[in-house]
Amino acid sequence: METLRIALLGAGTVGGSLVELLEAHQKRLEALGYRPELVSVLVRDAGKPRPGIPPHLLTTDPGAVAEADVLIEVMGGSKLAGDLVLRALEADTPVITANKALLAERWRELRGYAEDGLLYYEASVMAGTPVIGALQSLWGNRLLELHGILNGTCNYILNRLEAGIPYPQALKEAQDKGYAEADPTLDVGGFDAAHKLTVLSRLTVDPDFAWEEVRANTRGIEHLTPELLNEARANGQVIRLVASLFPEGGRWVGKVRPVRLPANHPLALMGSVRNALLCRTQEAGELVFSGAGAGGHVTASAVLGDLYRLVAGQPGHLPIPNALPLPGTRVEALEEA
């Protein structure tokens, strides 16, 4: 039996859920020959109670996470988290992360380690709905385009607007339920979905896909009103924030924006905070993935799945080896709202 020393960055909702799941899965991991041992948990405030986490493991010292066999990062942000992740990777320590902002914004520094199989990030897009691994399995296909509802907060707010609730009230409801942060800009501005689309783009069409271009093509939902959504409904449409990757003007383009979808469109059927991804390929046709895209246990389950992948000897998630040729035609043009 080999001891697997785990350092954890972040002990919020996801971190706390992960500690709980680690305990529940200990026997299964031991059956694979590894005894998981949490050796340190980096937090911003070591005095704050963290139910389920032994206080002696809590630390504010970034150096305390160095003595580990694997680093799990669920603290968020791209500066401190990114610096510590890179420090671990430079020491050949595998990293499991749920941090889509880090992957999108600091990819130039991370790419080489991802190509070496040291970076695992299933939880970064759609949380526990396993689209990262699934998209790698589609490398045998020629991708035509993909469209996704990748932010549950926006989906919740849009559903409330359809019910006639004004945007400020719908946003407050989302914040009260814990779906939206006190500063909701990343969600409602479309940037969270843009981070995720950038990650997906590097897995499917171009390992160098630029975050800056996706960000420039991102619009949020702040301008939407119940009247606009009711008008769409009267025309047999629904309005959703959709992240899309498609060929246009001789290149792959990534966009995040509110669009009008036919009411029977696969993405239009997603209710409340569910996420969905629609892929159209030349060989396998149309594939739809849907499921919970956020939440402590949901996200932690994908992080734990990556830990299983690691102990099973499988490499992390690889970007597509080189840029995919453009398909001849675009399949679906969505009307922006």
Side-chain angles (χ1 to χ4, degrees):
M1 182 73 63
E2 184 175 342
T3 298
L4 184 70
R5 297 170 301 168
I6 299 170
L8 178 63
L9 304 187
T13 302
V14 176
S17 297
L18 177 64
V19 172
E20 182 182 332
L21 289 181
L22 272 172
E23 184 176 346
H25 282 252
Q26 180 155 345
K27 283 185 168 47
R28 289 181 61 187
L29 287 162
E30 288 177 355
L32 294 172
Y34 291 89
R35 179 183 295 109
E37 179 186 344
L38 194 61
V39 294
S40 61
V41 182
L42 183 71
V43 294
R44 292 182 176 87
D45 180 3
K48 180 180 178 180
R50 313 279 177 170
I53 302 177
H56 73 275
L57 294 180
L58 299 174
T59 180
T60 57
D61 176 14
V65 302
E67 298 300 322
D69 301 308
V70 56
L71 180 70
I72 297 179
E73 186 274 309
V74 292
M75 71 187 305
S78 57
K79 183 61 177 75
L80 176 59
D83 292 345
L84 294 175
V85 162
L86 282 164
R87 185 186 302 173
L89 292 170
E90 288 165 0
D92 290 327
T93 301
V95 170
I96 299 171
T97 181
N99 193 337
K100 62 273 181 180
L102 169 62
L103 293 165
E105 296 179 17
R106 298 188 66 173
W107 181 244
R108 290 179 182 88
E109 299 165 271
L110 294 169
R111 178 180 168 183
Y113 300 107
E115 291 173 335
D116 289 340
L118 286 172
L119 194 56
Y120 299 75
Y121 48 97
E122 182 63 68
S124 66
V125 180
M126 289 180 64
T129 305
V131 295
I132 300 292
L135 289 177
Q136 281 193 291
S137 299
L138 289 176
W139 282 1
N141 290 262
R142 285 168 289 182
L143 184 73
L144 303 176
E145 63 183 0
L146 65 78
H147 305 281
I149 292 177
L150 303 178
N151 184 274
T153 300
C154 288
N155 219 35
Y156 174 85
I157 292 173
L158 293 175
N159 274 270
R160 298 301 288 150
L161 293 181
E162 285 180 337
I165 305 300
Y167 177 85
Q169 182 180 338
L171 172 60
K172 185 177 186 307
E173 285 183 15
Q175 290 170 322
D176 290 343
K177 290 178 179 291
Y179 298 147
E181 300 290 342
D183 179 359
T185 306
L186 276 177
D187 290 322
V188 300
F191 301 108
D192 173 77
H195 283 140
K196 295 170 181 174
L197 179 63
T198 304
V199 173
L200 296 179
S201 301
R202 293 165 181 160
L203 280 168
T204 53
V205 299
D206 186 349
D208 288 317
F209 208 86
W211 152 245
E212 293 78 12
E213 293 187 19
V214 180
R215 182 177 57 189
N217 287 329
T218 294
R219 290 174 56 230
I221 65 169
E222 302 98 322
H223 66 287
L224 297 177
T225 63
E227 291 74 23
L228 280 172
L229 272 79
N230 288 333
E231 175 196 344
R233 181 68 73 176
N235 292 321
Q237 300 171 316
V238 299
I239 295 176
R240 295 289 182 265
L241 184 76
V242 176
S244 298
L245 178 67
F246 53 84
E248 184 177 78
R251 61 203 296 268
W252 287 101
V253 174
K255 279 190 177 183
V256 176
R257 70 285 186 230
V259 301
R260 296 173 181 265
L261 299 170
N264 62 352
H265 192 282
L267 297 184
L269 305 177
M270 293 300 109
S272 191
V273 295
R274 287 178 70 84
N275 282 193
L277 185 68
L278 168 65
C279 296
R280 291 196 173 100
T281 72
Q282 185 70 46
E283 288 75 21
E286 182 174 291
L287 301 101
V288 179
F289 307 87
S290 69
H297 282 83
V298 174
T299 306
S301 73
V303 173
L304 184 58
D306 275 346
L307 187 64
Y308 275 110
R309 182 181 177 120
L310 172 66
V311 301
Q314 300 176 29
H317 302 97
L318 309 176
I320 198 164
N322 43 51
L324 195 69
L326 291 166
T329 58
R330 183 174 172 188
V331 177
E332 179 180 29
L334 299 178
E335 178 188 356
E336 297 195 15

